[in-house]
Amino acid sequence: MSDAAQPTAAEVRAAAEAVKTALDRHLAAVERRTGDDDTAVYEAFNALATAAEAYDELLYDRYDEVTPFEIPGADGNLPPYAGPDEPHALSLLIRRDYAVAEPQRLLAQARRVAELDGEAGKEVAAKAGTSPLAALGVLFGEYEPDEIASRHKEFGLEEGDSTLWVTAAEDLPEPGEWLGSPFEHIDPERIVCRFDVSSVFDEEDEDAPPLDAAARGADA
């Protein structure tokens, strides 16, 4: 878009205010919900989606900036939801891919971590400093997955695709029930929302429908 055609700062601000108004209207409709098919909630959801999309476009055109959220269209990439209306339990399924971009950095960092255990860690440190498998065991045993994600370059890793699925359930499974096969029997109709990150989205045609996030509508 040329400079002459760019929206003004005032137009962007007005769009932001419209999103706030739509948020308030949506919350009020949800609070007054009379049933699963309440048309007021449906209309407020669509108004919020429209306001958010308009603000996102103006923000990008004016400031070359994007919002951190996305409200997908009704056709989405999820099957119709068939889970409980009021879930009492949730399961988060996360996959993050990494390439071992700098093996020597990986080995060095794992050796350093193991050595912090003093005398008891010397044998582990020696193995972690020469074996990538041992190094990965040390690092992922020491750090939470989210910390690995935020510090992956420090550990010689390069990010690939990632995805997070939130699934709904009636109740928590029994302790240890699924540990033998934690990623089997995933019912796509119980997915409340999913968030995908991939460099391929940067290559998509600007006119193509968004693929990097999907979530249920207000009455899905």
Side-chain angles (χ1 to χ4, degrees):
M1 178 178 290
S2 67
D3 291 341
Q6 281 186 346
T8 65
E11 288 174 327
V12 178
R13 173 62 62 180
E17 293 299 326
V19 173
K20 296 175 187 177
T21 300
L23 276 169
D24 289 339
R25 177 189 172 194
H26 181 258
L27 177 58
V30 171
E31 290 172 337
R32 296 193 302 266
R33 180 196 294 269
T34 59
D36 291 341
D37 297 321
D38 192 326
T39 57
V41 175
Y42 178 77
E43 292 171 358
F45 175 83
N46 286 337
L48 176 57
T50 299
E53 183 178 2
Y55 171 63
D56 190 85
E57 291 179 358
L58 291 172
L59 185 71
Y60 182 83
D61 289 343
R62 175 70 185 184
Y63 299 109
D64 198 24
E65 187 57 75
V66 296
T67 57
F69 54 85
E70 190 166 49
I71 302 178
D75 53 355
N77 61 354
L78 293 176
Y81 180 69
D85 291 334
E86 298 183 9
H88 295 103
L90 298 173
S91 292
L92 305 184
L93 297 99
I94 302 173
R95 172 173 174 170
R96 293 182 177 130
D97 288 354
Y98 297 96
V100 181
E102 300 180 67
Q104 293 307 312
R105 179 182 290 272
L106 172 71
L107 298 174
Q109 289 284 38
R111 183 172 59 248
R112 180 187 62 79
V113 169
E115 286 173 346
L116 294 177
D117 288 336
E119 192 69 26
K122 284 187 176 181
E123 184 178 345
V124 176
K127 189 173 183 181
T130 58
S131 167
L133 289 178
L136 289 170
V138 167
L139 291 176
F140 280 86
E142 177 70 17
Y143 299 105
E144 295 289 336
D146 287 344
E147 187 165 6
I148 294 286
S150 65
R151 300 173 57 183
H152 62 278
K153 292 183 179 179
E154 183 180 330
F155 302 134
L157 304 176
E158 181 179 302
E159 283 184 312
D161 289 354
S162 67
T163 188
L164 165 65
W165 295 12
V166 181
T167 64
E170 297 283 1
D171 299 292
L172 279 177
E174 292 296 323
E177 180 179 331
W178 50 257
L179 292 179
S181 54
F183 301 110
E184 292 184 6
H185 312 300
I186 303 305
D187 185 352
E189 293 186 349
R190 285 180 173 257
I191 296 175
V192 178
C193 55
R194 63 175 290 179
F195 302 93
D196 302 330
V197 177
S198 175
S199 60
V200 72
F201 299 138
D202 298 333
E203 302 167 4
E204 293 288 340
D205 181 24
E206 291 182 358
D207 295 329
L211 299 175
D212 58 340
R216 301 296 179 184
D219 295 308

